Amino acid sequence: MHMNVWLKSWIGAFMALFFLMTAIGGGWFLYVTNQERNHESDYVINEVRLAVNPLLLFMEQHYENIRDQHVQATLRALSGEHDVALTYAGLSGEILFSTSPYKQGDRLNLRSSLHYDLHEATQNDGSYRITFPVLDADTDSHVANAIFHIAKERLGSDSSSAFPLTMLIVSFLLFLGSVALLLVMRTSFHSRILSPVRTLQGRAEAILRGNYEPPSHIGTQFARMDELGGLYAMMDQITLELKEQRKRRARQEKAQKELITNISHEIRTPITTVKAYMEAILEGVCSDRETMLEYVGIMRNHTDKMSRQVEDLFLHAMEELGQISVEPKERYSMEVFPPILSTLGHYARTQGIAYRESLNMPNVLLPVDAARIEQVLTNLVTNALKHTSPGDTIHISADLEENHLVFTVADTGRGIRPQDMPFLFERYYRGQSGVPGQAIATEGNGLGLSICKNIVEAHGGVISFKSREGQGTEFYFTLPLC
């Protein structure tokens, strides 16, 4: 269940319970209020009737002689005995007898002075002034009105309860239901939200400490098909990415250290050789011009090697910063490439490798940075020399294909191992050979092919290869025409 559905279900349950309790509470309040009001009115009227019943019976029997002094004395005694004040008024409103503040002989306004219900009979001081009709005992005809003044304290209290038992039971059950619902929601909220969030917090803290391995219970949380389950999946992806970045950074740092070590070694060896030949010349070991020129040629080869190493290192630094400089200019191919290929051919022949190139290069106009493309061809030829032996052949050709000039550098050397092919253009990667007697050892800094790829792609071309182990390798790259 998704979190929004879960929250909506709980909110709906609480709203339904709230409205139910509100409705029951409101109905309960109205019911009790109405019952209390009705019950109080009936109860007070009955209590007053019971209290004044002896006086009413006496007046009904002696209403014709109400002016008699003996009858009035009896009424006054009964009023005192029952602690009530009595006013006896005829149907015309004339007061015929009174033990209250009213005076005998006064007249009452029957409309405003006679109160038969409790609401109108209640006085400001909390007493009741209630009117009962005086009836003829024989004919039941209305002959007079008896107005009684009675204190509220005179009446007994109602011991009966108007509180509905059913309503009490329902309210109590609703209260228990509310408490149970809150406890269930608390448990559900803790298990579905708080506990997973705390687990995520602990996971994030572990990642900050460098621990990328998920705990054993993370799998059950990950299996949830809701927002938190998606968050766990995202956290797992982030963890894997961070773990991979850490491994990649470690490999890169290791490769950079090896690069510095390799370049230091490959530069130190030519420097040592050049220094040895220079000392030999200075000491006069070269007895003739031919030997001296041979020594100078050897020094030049080692100097060229150092120059290539330094240039590769410089391009590597520029590539790391994303600032490798490629400035293509529109030039004809026959103007740019023959001098480059001639130099590379001479260099390959000095290593004992047969060198061939196409004689019918197309003369086309294309945007090219001659210096950078020379580095590409030089790196490809140097790479071919590392995998060839004396007697092998390196062949360079150029052809037109679909508005592109395609260069191919092929050799008949040992080829590339299948396990090395996926990583050939990665920085710092150096393939393994282990075959003795090669023209150039499989040493290198692992930058050459990566730099070639960067330069060719900066020209808008592509570079690739095909190779079979033991049968040679063929690298080719394209340059778009103008």
Side-chain angles (χ1 to χ4, degrees):
M1 181 187 296
H2 290 283
M3 296 300 298
N4 57 346
V5 178
W6 179 80
L7 286 175
K8 287 180 180 178
S9 63
W10 278 109
I11 292 174
F14 270 108
M15 291 297 292
L17 187 62
F18 172 77
F19 284 121
L20 182 61
M21 292 184 67
T22 301
I24 292 178
W28 182 13
F29 176 77
L30 294 175
Y31 173 80
V32 170
T33 302
N34 186 60
Q35 286 294 102
E36 286 183 347
R37 181 180 298 169
N38 294 336
H39 183 76
E40 181 184 10
S41 177
D42 295 342
Y43 170 75
V44 171
I45 296 295
N46 290 334
E47 286 290 308
V48 172
R49 182 178 290 277
L50 288 174
V52 303
N53 191 55
L55 285 85
L56 282 174
L57 290 175
F58 182 81
M59 286 184 290
E60 288 174 354
Q61 295 172 359
H62 300 88
Y63 73 92
E64 293 179 344
N65 302 315
I66 197 66
R67 296 179 183 274
D68 185 85
Q69 295 294 327
H70 178 70
V71 172
Q72 291 185 357
T74 303
L75 281 176
R76 191 171 283 108
L78 287 173
S79 297
E81 180 184 347
H82 291 86
D83 194 21
V84 296
L86 170 63
T87 299
Y88 185 93
L91 294 179
S92 64
E94 180 184 359
I95 297 177
L96 303 178
F97 173 81
S98 177
T99 61
S100 67
Y102 294 108
K103 294 181 179 181
Q104 189 171 339
D106 292 344
R107 286 186 177 273
L108 298 176
N109 185 345
L110 297 181
R111 288 189 176 184
S112 61
S113 300
L114 301 183
H115 306 301
Y116 295 95
D117 61 85
L118 183 64
H119 176 70
E120 294 181 350
T122 305
Q123 303 298 299
N124 294 331
D125 59 358
S127 64
Y128 300 109
R129 190 180 72 178
I130 303 178
T131 302
F132 288 100
V134 179
L135 304 177
D136 184 279
D138 296 329
T139 64
D140 285 337
S141 60
H142 187 188
V143 296
N145 294 293
I147 303 172
F148 295 95
H149 292 260
I150 186 168
K152 190 174 183 179
E153 293 79 9
R154 169 70 176 76
L155 304 176
S157 61
D158 183 13
S159 59
S160 64
S161 174
F163 193 87
L165 181 61
T166 303
M167 199 73 72
L168 177 63
I169 295 174
V170 171
S171 301
F172 181 70
L173 291 178
L174 284 175
F175 173 75
L176 291 181
S178 300
V179 173
L181 191 62
L182 285 173
L183 292 176
V184 172
M185 183 179 183
R186 179 185 178 277
T187 303
S188 179
F189 185 78
H190 183 273
S191 62
R192 292 187 64 86
I193 297 179
L194 288 183
S195 180
V197 168
R198 288 172 181 167
T199 302
L200 278 176
Q201 181 181 3
R203 184 80 185 104
E205 292 174 353
I207 292 174
L208 286 176
R209 292 192 298 267
N211 180 16
Y212 298 105
E213 296 299 327
S216 57
H217 63 277
I218 200 76
T220 58
Q221 302 286 358
F222 178 78
R224 294 175 48 171
M225 300 301 293
D226 57 12
E227 287 81 356
L228 281 176
L231 188 56
Y232 271 100
M234 186 66 67
M235 178 68 76
D236 189 53
Q237 293 178 0
I238 293 173
T239 302
L240 292 176
E241 182 65 24
L242 290 174
K243 186 177 180 180
E244 183 60 29
Q245 287 182 2
R246 187 177 185 181
K247 290 180 178 179
R248 189 159 52 244
R249 184 169 61 251
R251 290 195 301 267
Q252 185 175 4
E253 290 176 355
K254 180 180 178 182
Q256 287 177 339
K257 292 177 181 179
E258 293 179 352
L259 171 64
I260 294 174
T261 301
N262 293 336
I263 289 181
S264 298
H265 172 72
E266 294 189 14
I267 290 179
R268 184 172 60 249
T269 301
I271 290 177
T272 302
T273 303
V274 170
K275 182 179 179 181
Y277 277 97
M278 289 178 63
E279 290 177 351
I281 293 173
L282 293 174
E283 291 175 1
V285 175
C286 303
S287 57
D288 53 22
R289 177 180 176 82
E290 184 178 350
T291 305
M292 181 176 292
L293 290 177
E294 181 182 353
Y295 281 14
V296 170
I298 294 173
M299 289 189 291
R300 184 183 66 180
N301 288 338
H302 285 283
T303 304
D304 291 341
K305 183 178 181 180
M306 286 189 294
S307 177
R308 286 194 300 271
Q309 292 286 343
V310 172
E311 182 65 21
D312 282 351
L313 188 60
F314 173 74
L315 289 176
H316 164 65
M318 293 296 101
E319 190 177 10
E320 284 282 345
L321 297 173
Q323 297 177 356
I324 189 167
S325 176
V326 175
E327 299 177 357
K329 296 181 181 179
E330 292 186 1
R331 301 180 64 179
Y332 283 96
S333 56
M334 290 299 294
E335 176 188 352
V336 176
F337 296 109
I340 298 174
L341 298 179
S342 176
T343 303
L344 292 176
H346 175 74
Y347 177 66
R349 294 186 189 96
T350 60
Q351 306 301 321
I353 305 299
Y355 173 81
R356 294 188 299 107
E357 63 180 71
S358 299
L359 299 178
N360 55 345
M361 175 180 293
N363 188 22
V364 292
L365 185 65
L366 69 166
V368 61
D369 187 330
R372 296 304 183 204
I373 293 300
E374 182 178 6
Q375 289 172 332
V376 172
L377 290 169
T378 300
N379 283 339
L380 293 178
V381 170
T382 302
N383 189 69
L385 290 172
K386 294 176 182 178
H387 296 85
T388 52
S389 303
D392 286 331
T393 301
I394 294 177
H395 178 232
I396 299 180
S397 62
D399 301 288
L400 280 177
E401 291 184 7
E402 297 181 357
N403 295 324
H404 285 79
L405 184 61
V406 181
F407 277 92
T408 303
V409 179
D411 65 71
T412 59
R414 292 176 297 278
I416 301 171
R417 300 189 311 164
Q419 56 266 44
D420 292 332
M421 292 182 182
F423 314 103
L424 215 57
F425 290 103
E426 289 188 7
R427 245 179 296 180
Y428 311 120
Y429 185 78
R430 297 161 61 200
Q432 303 294 323
S433 175
V435 179
Q438 56 190 358
I440 294 180
T442 53
E443 298 178 354
N445 49 42
L447 300 176
L449 292 177
S450 173
I451 292 173
C452 290
K453 185 174 184 293
N454 193 298
I455 293 174
V456 170
E457 291 179 351
H459 279 80
V462 294
I463 184 170
S464 187
F465 71 95
K466 52 186 178 181
S467 177
R468 292 189 65 179
E469 193 172 9
Q471 298 184 19
T473 304
E474 181 180 302
F475 279 90
Y476 52 90
F477 65 91
T478 65
L479 296 174
L481 305 181
C482 291

